[in-house]
Amino acid sequence: MKTISILLLSVFVVLSCSRTYEKTSPKDLIPADIMKDILVDMYVLEASVRNCITANKKDSLPQWIAQEMNVILRKRNIHYDQFESSYSYYMGNEKKSQKIMENVVNRLIEKETESSLKSQHAQKQDSITLEITATDVVNKIVPLKK
């Protein structure tokens, strides 16, 4: 469990520390709004990984993580090298990276709020169903004869 967490942390550290940040934008720079979406998806993936680790579903987890990261990039037609060079560029520019990360945090908060509201709505629907069922049962009880 801790090994996988350390592995993921190491990947992000390697991404952020292994290269010097680029000061000039790469020719295939990913636009900031798309970069935000990618990072949001990656943080959601990280949360999913933590849930898998907590639930002890570690079977072939590294392969699943790699596959999911490829899906995140592929759905936007982005290659890993393009992501890596764009990430290095943005993280090397404090104002741009700060703006992207603010947007990432805001979007993650929105997603969490949406999920929480859906969960509350589902619980409310379940309780309404239970109330209707309980009422139906009470109305169908045959009165006792004296």
Side-chain angles (χ1 to χ4, degrees):
M1 169 170 27
K2 291 180 182 178
T3 306
I4 300 298
S5 297
I6 292 171
L7 175 66
L8 284 174
L9 182 61
S10 299
V11 168
F12 286 113
V13 168
V14 167
L15 278 176
S16 63
C17 296
S18 65
R19 295 176 38 169
T20 57
Y21 292 122
E22 299 179 21
K23 297 297 180 193
T24 59
S25 64
K27 66 178 183 173
D28 57 354
L29 180 68
I30 300 168
D33 59 328
I34 294 176
M35 191 67 164
K36 174 206 57 147
D37 292 340
I38 292 170
L39 292 173
V40 167
D41 288 346
M42 287 187 174
Y43 285 117
V44 170
L45 173 62
E46 182 182 359
S48 297
V49 168
R50 274 190 253 128
N51 286 340
C52 286
I53 291 171
T54 302
N56 288 323
K57 298 178 182 176
K58 295 183 261 183
D59 304 358
S60 66
L61 192 57
Q63 293 88 357
W64 180 76
I65 293 169
Q67 178 183 351
E68 290 300 310
M69 288 182 77
N70 283 329
V71 168
I72 290 169
L73 295 175
R74 209 175 317 130
K75 78 179 180 183
R76 293 174 180 86
N77 292 326
I78 294 173
H79 296 282
Y80 181 77
D81 292 338
Q82 182 184 5
F83 169 75
E84 187 177 33
S85 65
S86 296
Y87 182 85
S88 292
Y89 170 74
Y90 284 122
M91 294 304 123
N93 291 279
E94 185 178 348
K95 290 181 181 178
K96 291 180 182 184
S97 65
Q98 188 173 25
K99 180 68 175 166
I100 289 172
M101 294 313 291
E102 286 173 6
N103 290 332
V104 166
V105 168
N106 289 338
R107 182 62 187 129
L108 288 170
I109 291 170
E110 288 173 14
K111 281 181 167 265
E112 184 177 17
T113 303
E114 289 169 6
S115 176
S116 180
L117 289 173
K118 284 180 185 177
S119 176
Q120 289 175 1
H121 181 71
Q123 288 175 350
K124 186 175 181 180
Q125 289 298 100
D126 288 346
S127 66
I128 290 171
T129 303
L130 288 174
E131 288 174 19
I132 292 171
T133 305
T135 305
D136 290 343
V137 170
V138 171
N139 289 336
K140 293 180 183 178
I141 294 178
V142 179
L144 295 173
K145 295 182 183 178
K146 293 184 179 182

